[in-house]
PDB file of all heavy atoms in Angstrom:
ATOM      1  N   ASN A  35     -13.373 -16.400  -6.489  1.00 94.00           N
ATOM      2  CA  ASN A  35     -14.125 -16.414  -7.736  1.00 94.00           C
ATOM      3  C   ASN A  35     -13.223 -16.303  -8.977  1.00 94.00           C
ATOM      4  O   ASN A  35     -13.670 -16.507 -10.077  1.00 94.00           O
ATOM      5  CB  ASN A  35     -15.176 -15.295  -7.736  1.00 94.00           C
ATOM      6  CG  ASN A  35     -14.558 -13.888  -7.687  1.00 94.00           C
ATOM      7  OD1 ASN A  35     -13.397 -13.689  -7.992  1.00 94.00           O
ATOM      8  ND2 ASN A  35     -15.352 -12.920  -7.296  1.00 94.00           N
ATOM      9  N   LYS A  36     -11.951 -15.960  -8.790  1.00 94.00           N
ATOM     10  CA  LYS A  36     -11.133 -15.584  -9.947  1.00 94.00           C
ATOM     11  C   LYS A  36     -10.906 -16.751 -10.908  1.00 94.00           C
ATOM     12  O   LYS A  36     -10.963 -16.562 -12.128  1.00 94.00           O
ATOM     13  CB  LYS A  36      -9.788 -15.012  -9.485  1.00 94.00           C
ATOM     14  CG  LYS A  36      -9.915 -13.716  -8.725  1.00 94.00           C
ATOM     15  CD  LYS A  36     -10.516 -12.618  -9.593  1.00 94.00           C
ATOM     16  CE  LYS A  36     -10.632 -11.281  -8.893  1.00 94.00           C
ATOM     17  NZ  LYS A  36     -11.750 -11.175  -7.961  1.00 94.00           N
ATOM     18  N   LYS A  39     -14.002 -17.225 -12.985  1.00 96.00           N
ATOM     19  CA  LYS A  39     -14.212 -16.170 -13.978  1.00 96.00           C
ATOM     20  C   LYS A  39     -13.259 -16.286 -15.162  1.00 96.00           C
ATOM     21  O   LYS A  39     -13.545 -15.832 -16.256  1.00 96.00           O
ATOM     22  CB  LYS A  39     -14.051 -14.786 -13.339  1.00 96.00           C
ATOM     23  CG  LYS A  39     -15.149 -14.461 -12.325  1.00 96.00           C
ATOM     24  CD  LYS A  39     -15.262 -12.979 -12.044  1.00 96.00           C
ATOM     25  CE  LYS A  39     -14.083 -12.423 -11.310  1.00 96.00           C
ATOM     26  NZ  LYS A  39     -14.214 -10.950 -11.108  1.00 96.00           N
ATOM     27  N   ASN A  64      -6.351  -9.240  -7.222  1.00 93.00           N
ATOM     28  CA  ASN A  64      -6.492 -10.695  -7.115  1.00 93.00           C
ATOM     29  C   ASN A  64      -6.628 -11.317  -8.502  1.00 93.00           C
ATOM     30  O   ASN A  64      -6.204 -12.444  -8.745  1.00 93.00           O
ATOM     31  CB  ASN A  64      -7.755 -11.050  -6.322  1.00 93.00           C
ATOM     32  CG  ASN A  64      -7.681 -10.577  -4.862  1.00 93.00           C
ATOM     33  OD1 ASN A  64      -6.602 -10.592  -4.270  1.00 93.00           O
ATOM     34  ND2 ASN A  64      -8.814 -10.201  -4.310  1.00 93.00           N
ATOM     35  N   SER A 163     -20.080 -10.076  -2.628  1.00 98.00           N
ATOM     36  CA  SER A 163     -19.529  -8.745  -2.844  1.00 98.00           C
ATOM     37  C   SER A 163     -19.436  -8.462  -4.325  1.00 98.00           C
ATOM     38  O   SER A 163     -19.424  -9.377  -5.175  1.00 98.00           O
ATOM     39  CB  SER A 163     -18.191  -8.575  -2.135  1.00 98.00           C
ATOM     40  OG  SER A 163     -17.339  -9.610  -2.466  1.00 98.00           O
ATOM     41  N   GLY A 165     -17.378  -6.257  -7.226  1.00 97.00           N
ATOM     42  CA  GLY A 165     -16.261  -5.418  -7.677  1.00 97.00           C
ATOM     43  C   GLY A 165     -16.562  -4.928  -9.076  1.00 97.00           C
ATOM     44  O   GLY A 165     -17.118  -3.852  -9.289  1.00 97.00           O
ATOM     45  N   SER A 166     -16.250  -5.778 -10.057  1.00 97.00           N
ATOM     46  CA  SER A 166     -16.606  -5.445 -11.432  1.00 97.00           C
ATOM     47  C   SER A 166     -18.084  -5.803 -11.709  1.00 97.00           C
ATOM     48  O   SER A 166     -18.663  -5.334 -12.680  1.00 97.00           O
ATOM     49  CB  SER A 166     -15.727  -6.208 -12.415  1.00 97.00           C
ATOM     50  OG  SER A 166     -15.980  -7.601 -12.329  1.00 97.00           O
ATOM     51  N   GLY A 167     -18.660  -6.662 -10.889  1.00 98.00           N
ATOM     52  CA  GLY A 167     -20.043  -7.124 -11.089  1.00 98.00           C
ATOM     53  C   GLY A 167     -20.147  -8.441 -11.829  1.00 98.00           C
ATOM     54  O   GLY A 167     -21.254  -8.975 -12.008  1.00 98.00           O
ATOM     55  N   THR A 168     -19.023  -8.978 -12.244  1.00 98.00           N
ATOM     56  CA  THR A 168     -19.035 -10.225 -13.043  1.00 98.00           C
ATOM     57  C   THR A 168     -19.641 -11.391 -12.264  1.00 98.00           C
ATOM     58  O   THR A 168     -20.506 -12.114 -12.761  1.00 98.00           O
ATOM     59  CB  THR A 168     -17.619 -10.578 -13.474  1.00 98.00           C
ATOM     60  OG1 THR A 168     -16.970  -9.401 -13.986  1.00 98.00           O
ATOM     61  CG2 THR A 168     -17.613 -11.661 -14.530  1.00 98.00           C
ATOM     62  N   MET A 169     -19.178 -11.575 -11.040  1.00 98.00           N
ATOM     63  CA  MET A 169     -19.653 -12.713 -10.223  1.00 98.00           C
ATOM     64  C   MET A 169     -21.141 -12.562  -9.945  1.00 98.00           C
ATOM     65  O   MET A 169     -21.902 -13.525 -10.124  1.00 98.00           O
ATOM     66  CB  MET A 169     -18.860 -12.752  -8.908  1.00 98.00           C
ATOM     67  CG  MET A 169     -19.417 -13.764  -7.911  1.00 98.00           C
ATOM     68  SD  MET A 169     -18.368 -14.040  -6.477  1.00 98.00           S
ATOM     69  CE  MET A 169     -18.295 -12.408  -5.726  1.00 98.00           C
ATOM     70  N   TYR A 248     -12.937  -7.026   0.080  1.00 97.00           N
ATOM     71  CA  TYR A 248     -14.267  -7.503  -0.292  1.00 97.00           C
ATOM     72  C   TYR A 248     -15.018  -8.226   0.836  1.00 97.00           C
ATOM     73  O   TYR A 248     -16.104  -7.822   1.225  1.00 97.00           O
ATOM     74  CB  TYR A 248     -14.193  -8.484  -1.460  1.00 97.00           C
ATOM     75  CG  TYR A 248     -13.623  -7.910  -2.732  1.00 97.00           C
ATOM     76  CD1 TYR A 248     -12.291  -8.141  -3.111  1.00 97.00           C
ATOM     77  CD2 TYR A 248     -14.398  -7.111  -3.583  1.00 97.00           C
ATOM     78  CE1 TYR A 248     -11.784  -7.638  -4.305  1.00 97.00           C
ATOM     79  CE2 TYR A 248     -13.880  -6.577  -4.751  1.00 97.00           C
ATOM     80  CZ  TYR A 248     -12.579  -6.862  -5.090  1.00 97.00           C
ATOM     81  OH  TYR A 248     -12.066  -6.356  -6.272  1.00 97.00           O
ATOM     82  N   SER A 276     -15.653 -15.069  -1.381  1.00 97.00           N
ATOM     83  CA  SER A 276     -15.044 -15.092  -2.717  1.00 97.00           C
ATOM     84  C   SER A 276     -13.514 -15.064  -2.695  1.00 97.00           C
ATOM     85  O   SER A 276     -12.874 -14.855  -3.736  1.00 97.00           O
ATOM     86  CB  SER A 276     -15.598 -13.930  -3.537  1.00 97.00           C
ATOM     87  OG  SER A 276     -15.746 -12.769  -2.743  1.00 97.00           O
ATOM     88  N   GLY A 277     -12.906 -15.261  -1.522  1.00 95.00           N
ATOM     89  CA  GLY A 277     -11.457 -15.388  -1.462  1.00 95.00           C
ATOM     90  C   GLY A 277     -10.733 -14.076  -1.230  1.00 95.00           C
ATOM     91  O   GLY A 277     -11.186 -13.273  -0.402  1.00 95.00           O
TER      92      GLY A 277
HETATM   93  C1  PLP B 301     -12.536  -9.879  -7.532  1.00 72.86           C
HETATM   94  C2  PLP B 301     -13.185 -10.149  -6.257  1.00 72.86           C
HETATM   95  C3  PLP B 301     -14.536  -9.864  -6.020  1.00 72.86           C
HETATM   96  C4  PLP B 301     -15.385  -9.108  -7.006  1.00 72.86           C
HETATM   97  O1  PLP B 301     -15.807  -9.932  -8.067  1.00 72.86           O
HETATM   98  P1  PLP B 301     -16.407  -9.223  -9.348  1.00 72.86           P
HETATM   99  O2  PLP B 301     -16.774 -10.354 -10.209  1.00 72.86           O
HETATM  100  O3  PLP B 301     -15.332  -8.372  -9.953  1.00 72.86           O
HETATM  101  O4  PLP B 301     -17.569  -8.388  -8.941  1.00 72.86           O
HETATM  102  C5  PLP B 301     -15.068 -10.208  -4.813  1.00 72.86           C
HETATM  103  N1  PLP B 301     -14.337 -10.819  -3.863  1.00 72.86           N
HETATM  104  C6  PLP B 301     -13.042 -11.116  -4.039  1.00 72.86           C
HETATM  105  C7  PLP B 301     -12.278 -11.718  -2.933  1.00 72.86           C
HETATM  106  C8  PLP B 301     -12.427 -10.799  -5.247  1.00 72.86           C
HETATM  107  O5  PLP B 301     -11.117 -11.070  -5.416  1.00 72.86           O
END
Side-chain angles (χ1 to χ4, degrees):
N35 64 19
K36 295 298 182 282
K39 292 199 292 179
N64 296 326
S163 51
S166 67
T168 313
M169 172 171 60
Y248 298 102
S276 39

